[in-house]
Amino acid sequence: MTEFTRSIVSTPRLDMNVWTSGPEDGLPLLLVHGNLSSGGFWKYLAAELPADVRVIAPDMRAFGRTEAKTVDATRGLGDMSDDVHGLLEVLGLGGRPVNSVGWSMGAGVLMQQLLENPGDLASMIFIAPLSPFGFGGTTDAKGTMAYSDGAGTGAGGANPEFVRRLLIKDDTEMVPLTSPRVMLRTYFGPERNAKNVDEDFLVEELLRVKISDQLYPGNSVPSMNWPLIAPGDKGVNNAMSPKYFDTSAIVDLPTKPPVTWIFGSDDQISSNRSMFDFGTLGMLGAVPGWPGPMVFPPQPMEDQMRFVLKEYAQRGGQVREVPLEGVGHGIPLAVPGRLAEEVVASLVR
């Protein structure tokens, strides 16, 4: 098995913890993790990749062992995409497009990186991706916002007790609804591959998230609109609000790296019925006062991704869809071998 190791890399923006495997002169492959995880979550995919691939898997700001610096949510995921750009330059890869894989929030980082640093990426794989129109609060495939202030999105949607348990690093299974360990296992874990994955390692990495109004989940403000909270201007979850995050302009880029979209049929996070979306929760009666499907429906995340990628292809981009039946959000943990096959098939050499 290829060794998966970590080291601190100092960039002009911040000190980043970076997990790597493969030869230093190998084919670079950038892996960008999702929310509530770290670069360490890629270890199982890294073990399945060819020996000549050089994996570069940074911990994003607010996560893992990377230096904790404020996330300016008004830039969407721009802080994170710029962090990745700075890392590639320090590693001597500036101006040399690299293959890339982004999982969930990480796919959003790659979309924003494509907009702001288009020369960085040779190919992109989006795994269970964040919608190009952000997370929550949009009503149709074109990303129309339910409310202009982004009510029902961002940091205010994080369960306060769950956040408290992250802060004190409580990984017990008591009160499963707010247990970080149970949340991982239920929503973005290894599923039927659990026997081949070290859950304690994953939970330890998850609990390294930095809890504050500047980092995770961020700050929130009151709203006159349902559910009476709106995103503030700092923090990870606010950076994914449609108030600030919209990368649909990737369709306008003159140069379009090929995109592979991989998604699971049982995804409970990035889907048309996300269990973390106020539209879904309101519809199920879990949040009182829901104004109904005409005002605040479940966000059609898959429809939005398909809408943007269809336009991307019509304007000259190459797009491939890979649906995985019976798989949830935790694709890199649940089916790392299957994922490795798709990564290899997408590599630009």
Side-chain angles (χ1 to χ4, degrees):
M1 179 183 294
T2 302
E3 189 176 9
F4 196 59
T5 60
R6 58 179 178 82
S7 61
I8 299 295
V9 178
S10 294
T11 79
R13 292 178 57 79
L14 76 174
D15 292 340
M16 301 189 76
N17 184 65
V18 183
W19 300 79
T20 57
S21 67
E24 291 190 10
D25 61 350
L27 181 68
L29 176 63
L30 172 68
L31 305 179
V32 185
H33 68 79
N35 203 355
L36 293 175
S37 56
S38 76
F41 273 56
W42 293 110
K43 67 184 294 185
Y44 302 100
L45 171 63
E48 299 285 346
L49 293 172
D52 67 336
V53 171
R54 176 63 170 178
V55 165
I56 302 165
D59 294 348
M60 305 311 296
R61 64 169 62 198
F63 301 102
R65 298 168 176 81
T66 284
E67 182 181 357
K69 283 196 170 182
T70 297
V71 176
D72 179 359
T74 66
R75 299 189 60 221
L77 291 169
D79 273 341
M80 294 188 187
S81 67
D82 283 354
D83 292 343
V84 171
H85 176 72
L87 173 65
L88 293 176
E89 289 196 322
V90 168
L91 295 178
L93 298 171
R96 174 186 172 187
V98 300
N99 294 287
S100 64
V101 182
W103 176 23
S104 194
M105 178 192 77
V109 173
L110 293 182
M111 293 180 219
Q112 187 137 6
Q113 190 172 1
L114 185 62
L115 286 176
E116 300 189 11
N117 300 288
D120 284 353
L121 306 177
S123 70
M124 301 181 296
I125 297 179
F126 300 155
I127 303 171
L130 173 67
S131 165
F133 301 109
F135 195 93
T138 51
T139 64
D140 55 26
K142 297 180 180 180
T144 304
M145 289 180 64
Y147 303 117
S148 61
D149 67 350
T153 71
N159 185 309
E161 178 61 12
F162 173 68
V163 174
R164 186 191 70 82
R165 294 181 70 173
L166 288 174
L167 179 65
I168 65 173
K169 303 188 185 306
D170 174 11
D171 70 339
T172 65
E173 297 183 40
M174 295 180 64
V175 192
L177 184 64
T178 60
S179 165
R181 181 179 290 270
V182 175
M183 291 286 282
L184 166 67
R185 189 183 298 158
T186 304
Y187 293 105
F188 58 105
E191 304 167 19
R192 285 172 287 186
N193 193 42
K195 65 180 182 300
N196 299 313
V197 171
D198 183 350
E199 183 179 87
D200 289 339
F201 166 77
L202 297 176
V203 172
E204 179 184 352
E205 289 297 302
L206 185 163
L207 292 176
R208 291 184 182 276
V209 61
K210 314 302 192 303
I211 305 299
S212 81
D213 286 349
Q214 311 289 312
L215 296 163
Y216 179 90
N219 58 347
S220 61
V221 298
S223 173
M224 296 295 291
N225 300 309
W226 184 85
L228 307 182
I229 51 172
D233 60 353
K234 299 289 190 300
V236 173
N237 287 12
N238 294 327
M240 291 184 281
S241 165
K243 181 178 181 179
Y244 305 121
F245 183 88
D246 180 350
T247 56
S248 58
I250 62 174
V251 303
D252 298 323
L253 294 173
T255 301
K256 297 179 173 68
V259 174
T260 300
W261 172 28
I262 303 176
F263 55 97
S265 65
D266 297 351
D267 195 325
Q268 299 183 77
I269 297 178
S270 295
S271 68
N272 284 353
R273 289 293 185 272
S274 172
M275 293 305 296
F276 294 84
D277 171 32
F278 269 109
T280 304
L281 296 174
M283 182 181 66
L284 295 175
V287 180
W290 182 53
M294 298 302 293
V295 176
F296 206 117
Q299 180 189 4
M301 300 183 193
E302 289 182 24
D303 295 348
Q304 291 173 349
M305 191 78 253
R306 186 167 287 111
F307 174 81
V308 169
L309 289 184
K310 181 179 179 180
E311 187 73 13
Y312 189 88
Q314 289 177 343
R315 299 193 189 187
Q318 178 184 331
V319 174
R320 188 164 63 99
E321 283 192 25
V322 181
L324 299 177
E325 190 65 33
V327 181
H329 194 73
I331 292 171
L333 305 173
V335 287
R338 177 76 177 86
L339 177 56
E341 294 174 2
E342 296 300 336
V343 171
V344 170
S346 302
L347 292 175
V348 174
R349 293 182 177 270

